[in-house]
Amino acid sequence: MSEVSRVLHEPWPSVERQKLAVTFGMWVFIASEVLFFGGLFLAYTIYRHLDAEAFKAAARETEVVYGATNTAVLLTSSLTMAMAVKASQEGLRRMTLWCLTATVALGVAFLVIKGFEYHSDLEKGLWPGPGFPLHPAATQLFWAFYWIATGIHAVHLTVGIGIVLVVTLELKRGALPVEATRFDGVALYWHLVDTIWIFLLPMVYLIGRS
Amino acid sequence: MSDAALIYVRHRDKEESYLQHGHTLWSWITTTDHKRIGILYALSITFFFFIGGLAIGAVRLELMFPHGEFLSDDAYNRLFTLHGIVMVWFFLVPSIPTTLGNFLLPMMIGARDVAFPRLNLVSWYIFIVGACFAIFSIVAGGVDTGWTFYTPLSTMFSNGAVISAAAGVFIVGFSSIATGVNFITTVHLLRAPGMTWFRLPLFVWSIYATSLVMVLATPVLAMSLLLVIAERWLGMPIFNPANGGDPILFQHLFWFYSHPAVYIMVLPAMGVVSEVFACFARRRVFGYSMMVYAMMAIAVIGFFVWGHHMFVSGQSQYANFVFSFLSFMVAVPSAIKVFNWTATLYRGQITFEAPLIYSLGFLGLFTVGGLTGLFLASVPIDVHVTDTYFVVAHFHYIMVGGSVSAFFAGLHFWWPKVTGRLYSEAWARFAAIVMFLGFNTTFMPQFIMGYGGMPRRYHVYPPEFQIWHVMSSVGAVVLFVAYTLPLIYLTWSLFYGKKAGANPWEATGLEWQTASPPPKDNFKTLPRVKAPPYRYHPDREAPDAENREPETMQGDMT
Amino acid sequence: MTGAYPLQASVYAGEWDRLFAVLTVASALVVALVFIAIVGFSIRYRRGSRAPRGFLPEIITNELELGWTAATAIAFLFLFWWAAVQQLQNVVPPANAIELHVVAKQWMWKVQQPNGVREINELHAPVGRPVRLIMTSQDVIHSMFLPALRLKQDVLPGRYTYLSFTADKPGVYHLLCAELCGSEHSRMTGRLVLMTAADYARWSAAQPGAENLAAEGEKLFRSFGCSGCHASQSSVHAPDLNGIFGRKVQLAGGRTVIADEAYLRDSILLPQKDVVAGFDPIMPSFKGTVSDDDMVKLIAYLKSLSAETRP
Ligand code: HEA
Ligand code: HEA
Ligand code: CUA
Ligand SMILES: [Cu+2]
């Protein structure tokens, strides 16, 4: 009972409904996110259609090794996140904690690797603008897309890491019971971030090499 | 159930209203009470309405003379851009949903609050942050791209503070999305027992439809502005033709949001007037279910007509025809609504309180605005009148004559509920009529000069148009008076107004079945809904207003 | 520039006004309908009036609903069809039109007559003959607005857009920029001067700087070294440009395009974009070297090549 009163808050009659609301709301937000990236992907598709050769050429310059590693890392993080949710449902406190920590760690790893990748891209001077190494000019469009898309994704991931961290700490402090209502929402968001990356992978790394 | 009981325990014996529940400023800016948040929003948007109004005041003054007497070219561009940006994103888009919507949605469905009270407060803070960016960009010299931010002007050639302005709009967008998510979840999961979908008041339906559009359209605007910022700030050549970029792509992205956005601006208005017509005609809204479908149809089809803003942009003729056709189709549901409102008056017991007068104003002006929308939707007509004052008149008829009038209708209708006071009916009616007259004097001439070929965004213009501009400016002064009046008598009513009972209009909605102003938790006990909305007695032959059979309230509070 | 409202300078303008009138009347009827209903009901059913009240039978309501839904739908379809038909007449540009090149820049209109005469913020054209404007912009988006002809077309950077008309009333009319293009947008205006064929001929002959665009283009074609590759005797394997204009071109990658101004422009500025089938993409880009004015001449020259013998 006391547990419940700690979790339950305005205006909900029961914890179940409250949990449901979090997931439901997150799904609605995901729909919104889909259109957010939808706009970007649309632009990408149109430009690629306009000048396929240039896009292929430009995409060949991307660091597929980093890309692949990061994909692996992120997918694993999704796994650990899923496990965390399951564990929490089973009420396994320590297990949940471990999985969450792993998720955060993997997320950070991704960002670090991304950092290295960005560095080597910049080494090659692949930042659009005057004196851009590649030709024709349309290759700059690809790289503009590269920086923006991966950048936005990185921001999303950082936010994700942030909220997972908060939940973890609350859990650690015991401020938040295991069956905390926020869990499923956080997990959903994390999976969203991964899914976006799964879309980016071919658009950024693979088209140049097919 | 046990938890539910617990909630009730927590809410037992709280007699004091949401206003008395804490008086400090702190208690206001940290509140998660949807009613107080509604009021926070109300204050914010009134401020912006004023800013936008002042800007356009200067514009109207300048336009009385054809040779650009007072303002420099840049100053002029900055003023109408400021006006457009502020009025759309910082006034009209949030206006009804975040104020009346926030205040009433939970009450109308019989809930204690929205689904995510904290998120609700956060979204207000996001709004404020966005507002700060916008204000900064004004202080930093303003923006001269028009509210449409067309590339490459905005990305490569503008000498205004484009980035901060775009950032401001971008941020406010997230406030919209948060609100949308919140309302959608609320309507889905917090309806009181017995409140089935088809017992929802039309205002709730309208807010629901609006929220859907907000959630699905706003992100696209966010992305397109992000791309503009990326190009202008980081030099990413996205819309730059020199690098194979395509400036037209921006227009597609922008209008993919901004056309649905116009329905964000009108659907809530439709919801408001539906409530008002039913209440003051003492009849159930004509064709309730049809009204619901119509709103949904508008929300959906509205996503597929954006191209009608680009008939002369050089897009293919075939695209033009498709978009033209769809634009005509999106008009059909609006037509249905117009006729249904009219038919609601039929066999009513009509009394002409201020809210109804404002709503009648909405009805007339929306119809005119909408019909001129059809002119614009037909390609050949649009070719001549696009980017002329004809378009300006079109959207003011709908947004100002329509939505703003409806906003005032709602404001007056629910004012007693929000504040517990009655305003001076006489003044309110007077203001409503002045507003209607002032409006037409301002914008009717703009149709004529638009037809004559007076381009918009011009402050140096062919002298033959001066006469119309002078008329329009005079009208704007009247309009200013009409907008300032309510500010005065409503404020006055706060202190000296008569106490309003729980249900001054004898309306049937749940929000009228609790004290006004309502207690912090809206209802002492959560209502069970036993009837569809608008069960106003349809008088049989007994015409005298006194011995009417009483209306059926929606809720059962025991 | 008298106030007569609004001036008409072409048959099409007349048709346009008719369409506008029809729409206005239709809308006026609708507004009247709604207005009368509102006023009528307001009076008849004001509270306390003796008029009979009571429920409407379900059937009536449903029939009404269907009725006016169908009615408006049909009305709208009709209006759409009406407008569409009007527009279709203008989709196909007229043949044998006089071609004027328009280059828009912040904040002026630069017009070039077929005979090379240049004007700024003025556009002289004969009545009674189809005229075709080939327009591009050097910076932002502008919009060519000719109210007296009820015509308007955005002018885009890096692309050609076209506007065709056949005027029939000589006179001086507005030429306006209708797309916000920066500070002096509202000053980017000029005069559309429509003259009888005879006056036009006299006028253009009298202008200084008359020159044959094609001839100018030919000079450039040599000075830029195009001929180095495209001339028949050249050793470089480059396409023969005779009759290039309007020809169907096979591109590497299987696509085919019709060689219009836009295509020629791209082939010169972004040769890599559409490589002609069977050739190596060795043609250098002339972006920056070939100005918009030069482009006008080069294209005029390439067009003139159609019938002649090889350069
Ligand atoms: C709340 C805002 C709002 C609303 C609701 C609308 C509604 C409509 N708009 Fe409007 N519009 C704007 C705001 C709005 N618009 C703005 C801001 C711009 C300019 C943006 C800019 O460039 O700055 C614009 C511009 C705009 C254009 C582009 C003009 C141009 O720039 O060239 C077009 C073109 O098709 C258009 C069409 C329509 C149509 C068909 C409707 C329809 O939804 C209208 C439907 C309603 C009716 C039709 C009336 C009721 C119907 C009847 C009574 C039925 C009986 C009628 C008959 C039987 C004939 N609008
Ligand atoms: C969305 C809402 C909205 C609203 C409400 C208005 C309101 C008004 N608009 Fe607006 N207008 C736009 C949206 C709106 N406009 C847009 C989107 C554009 C296009 C911009 C662009 O081209 O980029 C535009 C452009 C536009 C132009 C064209 C400029 C040009 O193209 O050169 C004109 C010209 O007359 C004009 C006039 C007016 C007038 C007279 C009002 C009047 O109704 C205003 C009356 C209001 C007031 C005078 C203020 C009232 C004051 C108070 C209520 C006091 C409050 C006091 C306190 C809080 C203390 N508007
Ligand atoms: Cu050029 Cu406006
Ligand atoms: Cu639109």
Side-chain angles (χ1 to χ4, degrees):
Chain A
M1 198 57 199
S2 66
E3 275 293 283
V4 167
S5 63
R6 266 191 26 243
V7 180
L8 184 67
H9 53 69
E10 293 272 78
W12 296 101
S14 76
V15 176
E16 290 64 36
R17 293 294 281 176
Q18 194 175 328
K19 275 190 144 159
L20 181 59
V22 175
T23 349
F24 184 92
M26 185 49 75
W27 275 112
V28 179
F29 177 69
I30 288 177
S32 189
E33 284 277 0
V34 167
L35 273 109
F36 183 64
F37 285 90
L40 186 59
F41 292 173
L42 179 80
Y44 169 90
T45 321
I46 290 171
Y47 282 152
R48 183 178 162 193
H49 176 76
L50 285 180
D51 199 339
E53 283 316 308
F55 263 52
K56 277 211 173 60
R60 263 180 234 107
E61 301 302 315
T62 52
E63 303 279 357
V64 72
V65 184
Y66 286 117
T69 337
N70 261 344
T71 314
V73 173
L74 216 50
L75 286 179
T76 332
S77 78
S78 252
L79 180 67
T80 52
M81 183 42 117
M83 286 163 64
V85 174
K86 196 90 197 69
S88 73
Q89 283 159 359
E90 303 301 329
L92 309 170
R93 197 156 168 293
R94 304 195 60 257
M95 180 68 174
T96 321
L97 267 174
W98 276 117
C99 293
L100 287 177
T101 327
T103 316
V104 172
L106 287 163
V108 174
F110 178 96
L111 289 181
V112 173
I113 299 175
K114 198 79 203 146
F116 284 119
E117 182 178 354
Y118 280 165
H119 182 262
S120 71
D121 293 334
L122 290 176
E123 293 278 282
K124 290 193 252 158
L126 289 171
W127 184 271
F132 191 73
L134 308 181
H135 296 286
T139 50
Q140 299 198 23
L141 286 176
F142 175 90
W143 279 91
F145 169 83
Y146 169 86
W147 290 106
I148 294 172
T150 54
I152 298 177
H153 177 265
V155 171
H156 275 74
L157 189 61
T158 322
V159 174
I161 294 175
I163 55 181
V164 176
L165 211 54
V166 171
V167 173
T168 322
L169 294 180
E170 281 179 339
L171 197 55
K172 216 174 173 59
R173 276 197 278 97
L176 172 90
V178 192
E179 69 277 10
T181 58
R182 248 167 284 141
F183 251 161
D184 315 18
V186 174
L188 264 177
Y189 180 85
W190 191 268
H191 295 313
L192 165 73
V193 176
D194 291 4
T195 322
I196 294 168
W197 179 257
I198 300 304
F199 276 92
L200 283 177
L201 182 68
M203 299 174 99
V204 170
Y205 298 98
L206 302 187
I207 61 158
R209 303 180 165 82
S210 54
Chain B
M1 186 53 233
S2 56
D3 340 349
L6 186 132
I7 290 275
Y8 293 150
V9 174
R10 210 190 284 156
H11 294 304
R12 178 138 343 97
D13 47 62
K14 283 191 178 163
E15 298 309 339
E16 92 274 43
S17 84
Y18 77 101
L19 290 169
Q20 287 133 353
H21 189 82
H23 294 278
T24 59
L25 179 64
W26 183 251
S27 76
W28 276 88
I29 63 177
T30 59
T31 179
T32 59
D33 179 349
H34 64 99
K35 299 185 280 315
R36 288 191 163 203
I37 294 174
I39 287 178
L40 290 178
Y41 268 114
L43 295 174
S44 329
I45 65 168
T46 317
F47 171 74
F48 277 107
F49 184 57
F50 189 47
I51 301 278
L54 286 182
I56 212 61
V59 164
R60 285 298 349 154
L61 181 64
E62 169 80 353
L63 286 175
M64 289 176 72
F65 308 97
H67 305 303
E69 264 71 3
F70 307 118
L71 298 173
S72 72
D73 299 338
D74 278 329
Y76 182 82
N77 294 350
R78 282 160 166 67
L79 279 169
F80 72 71
T81 304
L82 165 69
H83 168 74
I85 293 179
V86 163
M87 284 296 200
V88 169
W89 284 299
F90 295 90
F91 170 65
L92 197 54
V93 165
S95 60
I96 296 178
T98 58
T99 58
L100 297 173
N102 248 322
F103 196 99
L104 296 163
L105 185 75
M107 298 177 119
M108 284 184 160
I109 65 174
R112 297 209 182 277
D113 205 325
V114 292
F116 310 111
R118 269 197 248 99
L119 179 64
N120 202 11
L121 180 62
V122 171
S123 72
W124 180 70
Y125 276 105
I126 301 178
F127 177 91
I128 293 302
V129 174
C132 294
F133 273 85
I135 290 172
F136 169 81
S137 69
I138 299 170
V139 180
V143 190
D144 59 352
T145 62
W147 79 288
T148 46
F149 291 105
Y150 272 15
T151 54
L153 178 59
S154 60
T155 47
M156 300 164 72
F157 294 87
S158 162
N159 52 3
V162 176
I163 296 179
S164 52
V169 177
F170 177 84
I171 295 168
V172 161
F174 283 102
S175 158
S176 281
I177 295 176
T179 310
V181 173
N182 215 336
F183 286 172
I184 293 176
T185 319
T186 311
V187 175
H188 270 271
L189 300 179
L190 279 173
R191 279 171 289 123
M195 179 58 91
T196 58
W197 281 95
F198 277 79
R199 282 180 174 181
L200 289 173
L202 287 172
F203 180 72
V204 174
W205 270 110
S206 72
I207 294 294
Y208 179 73
T210 310
S211 307
L212 286 177
V213 181
M214 279 179 171
V215 167
L216 295 180
T218 318
V220 180
L221 174 71
M223 180 50 76
S224 41
L225 290 176
L226 206 60
L227 293 176
V228 167
I229 294 174
E231 172 156 0
R232 191 176 171 88
W233 191 27
L234 309 175
M236 298 284 176
I238 299 154
F239 302 112
N240 177 354
N243 295 16
D246 179 2
I248 300 299
L249 177 62
F250 172 81
Q251 296 182 21
H252 281 289
L253 290 175
F254 181 84
W255 290 118
F256 183 84
Y257 159 82
S258 283
H259 186 83
V262 308
Y263 295 115
I264 296 180
M265 293 187 260
V266 86
L267 282 170
M270 294 173 159
V272 169
V273 295
S274 303
E275 302 292 321
V276 174
F277 273 116
C279 176
F280 293 98
R282 316 306 302 171
R283 282 191 73 83
R284 61 196 62 169
V285 173
F286 188 92
Y288 169 91
S289 48
M290 204 59 171
M291 293 295 249
V292 172
Y293 297 133
M295 275 193 281
M296 284 315 186
I298 293 176
V300 173
I301 308 175
F303 274 94
F304 305 99
V305 302
W306 76 89
H308 67 205
H309 295 270
M310 300 165 62
F311 285 154
V312 299
S313 68
Q315 83 186 352
S316 89
Q317 285 297 338
Y318 309 103
N320 282 356
F321 286 127
V322 176
F323 284 120
S324 168
F325 177 74
L326 290 169
S327 306
F328 274 95
M329 287 306 102
V330 80
V332 174
S334 310
I336 297 172
K337 298 189 78 68
V338 169
F339 292 134
N340 279 358
W341 288 315
T342 317
T344 306
L345 299 174
Y346 181 60
R347 294 193 176 185
Q349 285 281 4
I350 310 168
T351 52
F352 295 90
E353 275 87 359
L356 184 65
I357 299 181
Y358 279 111
S359 301
L360 289 172
F362 164 92
L363 187 51
L365 300 177
F366 171 75
T367 308
V368 175
L371 288 169
T372 51
L374 295 179
F375 284 60
L376 299 171
S378 33
V379 181
I381 297 291
D382 185 65
V383 167
H384 174 60
V385 294
T386 182
D387 281 316
T388 68
Y389 266 76
F390 193 91
V391 177
V392 175
H394 156 67
F395 62 77
H396 284 87
Y397 258 79
I398 297 188
M399 300 203 293
V400 187
S403 302
V404 176
S405 301
F407 181 50
F408 276 93
L411 195 61
H412 287 77
F413 186 53
W414 283 291
W415 185 261
K417 177 55 60 184
V418 175
T419 64
R421 301 293 188 140
L422 292 171
Y423 50 79
S424 142
E425 190 58 41
W427 275 106
R429 293 179 187 180
F430 176 67
I433 292 164
V434 174
M435 202 178 288
F436 182 82
L437 298 179
F439 178 85
N440 285 296
T441 343
T442 312
F443 292 102
M444 189 50 82
Q446 297 190 359
F447 278 126
I448 302 169
M449 59 176 138
Y451 166 70
M454 165 75 207
R456 64 191 282 195
R457 298 164 169 179
Y458 262 36
H459 78 125
V460 178
Y461 58 86
E464 70 250 32
F465 297 112
Q466 183 171 17
I467 166 93
W468 306 116
H469 272 302
V470 171
M471 269 192 228
S472 180
S473 299
V474 172
V477 174
V478 181
L479 209 47
F480 176 84
V481 173
Y483 284 130
T484 343
L485 277 178
L487 208 80
I488 298 167
Y489 65 74
L490 287 179
T491 321
W492 183 87
S493 77
L494 285 180
F495 306 98
Y496 312 106
K498 275 208 278 358
K499 284 241 180 309
N503 188 1
W505 313 119
E506 294 170 330
T508 62
L510 289 179
E511 79 268 29
W512 301 105
Q513 292 186 263
T514 180
S516 18
K520 165 152 189 331
D521 303 308
N522 297 347
F523 306 97
K524 278 219 206 58
T525 61
L526 282 178
R528 318 194 149 276
V529 177
K530 60 175 197 297
Y534 317 124
R535 272 299 172 91
Y536 295 101
H537 66 88
D539 275 355
R540 306 253 147 39
E541 304 310 319
D544 54 307
E546 281 50 52
N547 47 37
R548 288 175 284 123
E549 25 176 300
E551 45 283 296
T552 340
M553 301 304 284
Q554 257 196 297
D556 169 358
M557 313 305 276
T558 53
Chain C
M1 281 201 228
T2 71
Y5 223 67
L7 294 175
Q8 254 186 37
S10 71
V11 179
Y12 172 73
E15 296 168 4
W16 188 93
D17 288 1
R18 213 166 306 118
L19 177 57
F20 191 92
V22 170
L23 277 172
T24 316
V25 171
S27 314
L29 289 178
V30 174
V31 174
L33 187 109
V34 174
F35 188 76
I36 292 169
I38 292 177
V39 175
F41 294 159
S42 301
I43 295 169
R44 191 149 194 279
Y45 298 110
R46 69 190 179 284
R47 174 165 301 182
S49 76
R50 305 232 151 262
R53 308 294 211 281
F55 291 102
L56 298 169
E58 271 302 310
I59 319 96
I60 297 189
T61 57
N62 298 345
E63 307 240 302
L64 276 174
E65 286 282 3
L66 287 178
W68 60 52
T69 310
T72 39
I74 292 166
F76 288 163
L77 277 175
F78 171 76
L79 290 176
F80 168 72
W81 169 81
W82 229 81
V85 171
Q86 292 276 327
Q87 184 61 6
L88 281 170
Q89 298 161 348
N90 306 57
V91 172
V92 276
N96 67 52
I98 311 181
E99 293 188 336
L100 278 62
H101 288 266
V102 177
V103 175
K105 67 188 284 277
Q106 288 175 323
W107 290 272
M108 62 169 74
W109 295 101
K110 295 195 283 178
V111 179
Q112 193 150 31
Q113 296 282 344
N115 66 352
V117 170
R118 299 150 171 278
E119 350 177 37
I120 290 196
N121 294 341
E122 297 234 333
L123 194 160
H124 287 71
V127 296
R129 266 196 67 183
V131 177
R132 188 152 177 268
L133 306 182
I134 301 165
M135 310 184 289
T136 188
S137 162
Q138 288 180 346
D139 35 50
V140 301
I141 300 178
H142 303 269
S143 190
M144 167 67 77
F145 182 23
L146 303 171
L149 303 171
R150 310 288 186 270
L151 288 177
K152 186 184 285 108
Q153 172 60 57
D154 285 6
V155 180
L156 308 170
R159 251 177 75 181
Y160 282 106
T161 51
Y162 312 91
L163 198 57
S164 306
F165 60 84
T166 310
D168 66 357
K169 269 202 207 57
V172 178
Y173 308 93
H174 289 309
L175 182 160
L176 305 164
C177 174
E179 186 62 72
L180 178 61
C181 53
S183 311
E184 295 178 32
H185 163 60
S186 66
R187 300 180 192 274
M188 188 167 164
T189 58
R191 314 189 313 146
L192 166 67
V193 184
L194 296 176
M195 320 163 101
T196 62
D199 295 351
Y200 177 72
R202 219 171 299 114
W203 170 84
S204 49
Q207 293 309 305
E211 72 209 338
N212 179 328
L213 273 185
E216 284 291 304
E218 179 158 21
K219 294 205 201 81
L220 290 173
F221 195 77
R222 307 209 180 291
S223 57
F224 282 127
C226 318
S227 47
C229 299
H230 287 282
S232 51
Q233 64 275 21
S234 120
S235 55
V236 184
H237 176 52
D240 164 14
L241 297 182
N242 285 306
I244 172 71
F245 186 73
R247 179 202 288 159
K248 197 193 220 95
V249 181
Q250 273 290 347
L251 297 180
R255 284 188 303 126
T256 64
V257 293
I258 300 295
D260 56 3
E261 289 91 354
Y263 169 79
L264 296 182
R265 188 176 195 283
D266 288 353
S267 316
I268 297 166
L269 296 184
L270 321 156
Q272 317 297 349
K273 187 154 162 276
D274 314 310
V275 176
V276 182
F279 293 91
D280 310 337
I282 56 171
M283 169 163 169
S285 161
F286 285 81
K287 177 179 289 140
T289 341
V290 174
S291 74
D292 280 304
D293 294 354
D294 299 342
M295 185 62 65
V296 170
K297 296 176 183 151
L298 274 174
I299 290 179
Y301 171 63
L302 290 174
K303 283 180 175 172
S304 72
L305 281 179
S306 45
E308 297 168 13
T309 51
R310 313 197 45 167

